[in-house]
Amino acid sequence: MRVLVTGGAGFIGSQVVEALAAHGHDPVVYDVRTDPEADVRNPYAVSRALAGVDAVCHQAAMVGLGAGFSDAAEYVSRNDLGTAVLLTAMADAGVRRLVLAGSMVVYGEGRYECERHGVVRPGPRAVAALEAGRFEPPCPVCGADLSPGLVGEDAPVDPRNVYATTKLAQEHLAAAWARATGGTAVSLRYHNVYGPGMPRDTPYAGVASYFRSALARGAAPRVFEDGGQRRDFVHVRDVAAANVTALEAGPAALAEGALTTYNTGSGDPRTVGEMARTLAAAYGGPEPVVTGEYRLGDVRHITADSSRLRAELGWKPGTGFAEGMREFAEAGMRGA
C-alpha cells in the first residue's frame, strides 16, 4: 500500500513512516520540515502528493495546549482548514482510506463517579478553586469527592481548550468526508505520547517533553498542581503500530462511509508526579519540584479505555511504563 503520511518528518509521523516501511508498505512523507511547499493547506501541493496513493495517514497538526488564546486562529488554520483541504483533495483523487491522528483531549475531563450520584460529568474547574489549591473537580450535584476512571469512546465529548476544539472538528470533517465519499476513516485518539525524538523546549510539546528538556538542562522538572493528575503515557512506537494496524484493517473491521474512533493508550494510568519521578530517576537528574501552578485549559484526570482497539483490531502496546521511561531518559530529542 502506498501511504501518504502528512507530518511524516515529525515526532510521531516519522515513527509511522518507519513502521509502515517495516510492514512492507510504501510511505510517502509530506511535511513542511522537508519541503516548505508541503503544507496541508496548499491544495495544489496536496493534490500532487496524492498521485498514486492508496491511503492517507494524517499526522500533520499544531499540537499541545499552546500559549493562551492568542494562537487560536493558527490552530484552526493548521488543523481544521488543513484537514478540509486534504480531505477535499482525497475526494477528488479517489483516495478512500484515512487514518487520523486524533486526541483524548476531545473528552475534556475523563470519567468520574460519585458515591451518591453515580457517573457524573463535572464542569470546567473554577479559577478560585485552582488558586486555592483545590484541583480535584467535585461532584456537580452534591459537591462530594469523585473517583476517576477510564473513559471510553462513547463518552460525551467536551473540549476545554482551542487545541481540543480543533481536534474534534477534524473528526467531524473526517466523518463528513467518509459519508460523502463512501470512504473509511479512523481516528486514533492518542493519549500522552512520549518517546525518542520528542521536540524539546516548546510550549506545544507534551508534559514528558517539558520534564525531559528540564533534566537535559540540569534543572528539576516542574510539576504543576499537586502532581496527582492521572494520564495514560503511551510509547510512540506503540502509537505508530496502531496506525499501521488501522491502515491494514479489513472491511469486516471498519465501516465504510463512517468514522470509527479508537482510544490509543497504554492501559496503565499513572500520575504526572509519578512520571516525573520515574523519568528523573532514570536520567539521574534532580528530583521534581511540585509547584502548585496550573493552566486553566488543563483537565485533572483523563485516562483511556483502549480495549476496543485491542478487541476489534488486535493492537496492543509493547512498551511498558518503566522500560519506556528508561529509554526516553537516554534518548535524544529534536529541536522545536
Side-chain angles (χ1 to χ4, degrees):
M1 195 183 331
R2 187 171 173 85
V3 183
L4 183 70
V5 184
T6 69
F11 166 49
I12 298 175
S14 61
Q15 293 281 349
V16 172
V17 167
E18 286 189 20
L20 284 167
H23 281 75
H25 299 291
D26 179 18
V28 179
V29 173
Y30 186 84
D31 198 305
V32 291
R33 297 173 182 85
T34 56
D35 179 0
E37 291 188 5
D39 190 318
V40 288
R41 296 169 293 185
N42 182 336
Y44 307 105
V46 171
S47 294
R48 288 195 301 270
L50 286 170
V53 163
D54 303 301
V56 172
C57 189
H58 185 28
Q59 304 293 318
M62 185 174 180
V63 301
L65 189 55
F69 201 81
S70 61
D71 45 18
E74 189 69 10
Y75 269 111
V76 172
S77 175
R78 288 176 182 255
N79 296 354
D80 299 337
L81 174 61
T83 299
V85 169
L86 172 66
L87 294 173
T88 300
M90 289 174 64
D92 292 342
V95 180
R96 297 291 182 263
R97 196 167 189 87
L98 170 72
V99 173
L100 171 69
S103 176
M104 52 85 181
V105 295
V106 300
Y107 297 116
E109 288 284 353
R111 185 181 187 276
Y112 291 88
E113 191 165 348
C114 173
E115 200 169 77
R116 289 178 58 194
H117 298 100
V119 176
V120 294
R121 291 190 60 78
R125 294 182 295 172
V127 172
L130 294 169
E131 288 285 351
R134 298 193 302 273
F135 302 119
E136 295 287 345
C139 174
V141 181
C142 66
D145 293 340
L146 299 174
S147 299
L150 300 180
V151 61
E153 290 89 347
D154 296 329
V157 291
D158 185 16
R160 300 277 174 99
N161 56 59
V162 172
Y163 170 61
T165 302
T166 65
K167 295 306 289 184
L168 181 57
Q170 283 186 317
E171 290 192 350
H172 289 321
L173 288 165
W177 166 84
R179 284 194 297 271
T181 64
T184 298
V186 173
S187 177
L188 297 174
R189 289 176 173 172
Y190 301 161
H191 280 246
N192 290 69
V193 186
Y194 75 97
M198 282 195 87
R200 64 174 180 269
D201 296 323
T202 167
Y204 300 97
V207 66
S209 174
Y210 278 119
F211 295 164
R212 179 63 174 75
S213 297
L215 290 166
R217 297 192 303 269
R222 294 175 60 81
V223 179
F224 279 15
E225 301 186 17
D226 59 0
Q229 312 93 299
R230 285 163 53 92
R231 297 291 187 268
D232 185 314
F233 298 99
V234 59
H235 196 280
V236 65
R237 284 195 300 271
D238 291 330
V239 166
N243 278 270
V244 176
T245 297
L247 284 165
E248 293 179 340
L254 301 174
E256 293 182 354
L259 172 73
T260 305
T261 59
Y262 291 109
N263 288 334
T264 308
S266 70
D268 182 21
R270 305 279 177 152
T271 68
V272 172
E274 181 182 6
M275 188 273 284
R277 292 189 298 272
T278 302
L279 183 60
Y283 190 86
E287 282 283 317
V289 175
V290 178
T291 69
E293 298 171 85
Y294 66 88
R295 297 190 300 180
L296 190 59
D298 269 339
V299 297
R300 179 62 174 176
H301 303 297
I302 176 67
T303 52
D305 178 355
S306 300
S307 58
R308 179 185 290 180
L309 181 56
R310 300 182 190 217
E312 295 185 4
L313 300 189
W315 169 89
K316 62 179 181 180
T319 303
F321 177 76
E323 173 193 354
M325 286 297 159
R326 283 195 300 270
E327 180 194 19
F328 184 42
E330 299 170 358
M333 301 181 75
R334 66 174 66 202

